[in-house]
Amino acid sequence: MMYVLIDDENGVSREYRQVERKAKAGDYIVFTHDHLDITANRPYKVESANVEFTDDANEKRFWDIPSTDYNVFMQTDFVHIDGERYRMVDRKAKVGDKVIIVDAKWAFGKYENGSVVVAEDVDEEGIYNDDVKEVKRNEEGFIAHEEYRVLEPTIQAERVEPVLSTSDLIANLAKRVVELERRLSDINADVNEVNDRIDRLAYTCEQSTISIARDVERIDTDVERLKQPATVTIDASVLAKLVAKAVESE
């Protein structure tokens, strides 16, 4: 698997291939899952040996241990220019070769890192091209050999991930926002359901409390009534018979 990313040094699209090692400065790391302010499948440039990079919130982050959270991608010599794939080769150009400037030194404003120039003439010192001529300072259109790499055309042999443009990143972030909003909506619905259940339970408890209070009040009334002295009423004729029976028994 590869990515094509814009090279900070010369502004051209350059291939990065996956490697099985700890990330180094200049590599890119690509996370397999989203993290806080980190987007899955977005390349982050490693800025130091302890895996320092800048996250989505433009904050510095460190991931200084070998991790299965991301894959490491290192720079290759393959570049994409005007829809064509080339390999950058460190050799002296021949007449007709395309070269890419990698270390502009005597440009006089006529070329810069990333410029593509055709070698119209070549000698031991460098190449020559009329388009980079500068009157009085570079009348011959000279470019030293150490300033360029030769571009050798090649076929695209491997599947390459497209360059992630700013619009791509914005689209990815918008997608994440939509997903987070959906999750928040689901959470709010769950919270509302729980609140409804709590309200129903609170009402049931309130009614039960009122019913218990009424039962306690009735019990207290019954207890108070039982505490009062009991009064027994006996008919006089019945009392006379009881007394007569008591006398006879003696």
Side-chain angles (χ1 to χ4, degrees):
M1 181 178 178
M2 289 190 180
Y3 277 85
V4 177
L5 303 169
I6 302 301
D7 191 330
D8 293 338
E9 295 178 358
N10 53 35
V12 300
S13 299
R14 193 162 185 167
E15 290 184 10
Y16 287 75
R17 66 180 176 87
Q18 186 173 342
V19 292
E20 298 296 330
R21 62 164 171 75
K22 184 177 178 180
K24 300 177 181 179
D27 290 340
Y28 279 82
I29 55 176
V30 178
F31 286 83
T32 56
H33 297 87
D34 289 343
H35 297 270
L36 178 63
D37 294 326
I38 295 175
T39 304
N41 299 317
R42 173 188 174 182
Y44 296 88
K45 187 170 185 178
V46 179
E47 300 168 13
S48 66
N50 56 353
V51 195
E52 178 185 5
F53 63 96
T54 303
D55 64 17
D56 297 343
N58 204 33
E59 298 289 339
K60 297 294 183 181
R61 299 285 289 273
F62 296 89
W63 224 280
D64 192 24
I65 56 175
S67 174
T68 57
D69 293 334
Y70 60 78
N71 295 312
V72 180
F73 290 80
M74 68 171 290
Q75 189 180 75
T76 72
D77 292 327
F78 294 96
V79 294
H80 293 218
I81 300 172
D82 295 331
E84 300 294 330
R85 184 175 185 257
Y86 299 89
R87 181 178 182 181
M88 296 191 303
V89 181
D90 187 8
R91 66 167 173 82
K92 290 183 179 180
K94 300 176 183 179
V95 174
D97 281 343
K98 282 184 179 180
V99 303
I100 183 170
I101 306 300
V102 295
D103 187 18
K105 293 180 178 178
W106 300 286
F108 304 113
K110 291 297 183 177
Y111 59 89
E112 60 186 7
N113 288 348
S115 296
V116 176
V117 179
V118 175
E120 297 175 348
D121 197 5
V122 181
D123 63 20
E124 289 299 317
E125 301 299 325
I127 66 173
Y128 300 84
N129 183 284
D130 286 343
D131 291 336
V132 300
K133 286 183 178 181
E134 169 61 28
V135 178
K136 295 183 180 180
R137 291 184 291 184
N138 188 8
E139 296 180 355
E140 297 179 336
F142 173 78
I143 300 174
H145 289 309
E146 62 266 25
E147 292 184 81
Y148 66 81
R149 296 290 182 270
V150 176
L151 293 173
E152 293 184 349
T154 182
I155 61 173
Q156 188 162 325
E158 301 184 56
R159 184 177 67 84
V160 179
E161 296 295 329
V163 178
L164 290 181
S165 64
T166 301
S167 59
D168 293 328
L169 297 178
I170 292 174
N172 287 342
L173 291 175
K175 183 178 179 181
R176 289 187 64 196
V177 169
V178 171
E179 176 63 18
L180 292 173
E181 288 178 342
R182 185 191 64 78
R183 293 182 184 178
L184 180 60
S185 178
D186 292 342
I187 291 173
N188 287 336
D190 291 340
V191 169
N192 290 336
E193 181 180 353
V194 171
N195 286 336
D196 289 342
R197 293 176 62 186
I198 291 174
D199 289 341
R200 291 195 298 270
L201 181 60
Y203 177 78
T204 301
C205 291
E206 181 182 4
Q207 295 303 310
S208 297
T209 301
I210 294 173
S211 178
I212 291 172
R214 289 174 178 172
D215 290 341
V216 169
E217 184 178 354
R218 285 195 297 268
I219 292 171
D220 287 342
T221 300
D222 292 342
V223 169
E224 290 298 324
R225 187 172 61 251
L226 292 173
K227 288 180 179 179
Q228 298 299 321
T231 302
V232 179
T233 303
I234 301 176
D235 185 83
S237 61
V238 174
L239 179 60
K241 290 180 180 179
L242 292 173
V243 171
K245 287 184 178 181
V247 172
E248 290 176 358
S249 63
E250 291 180 354

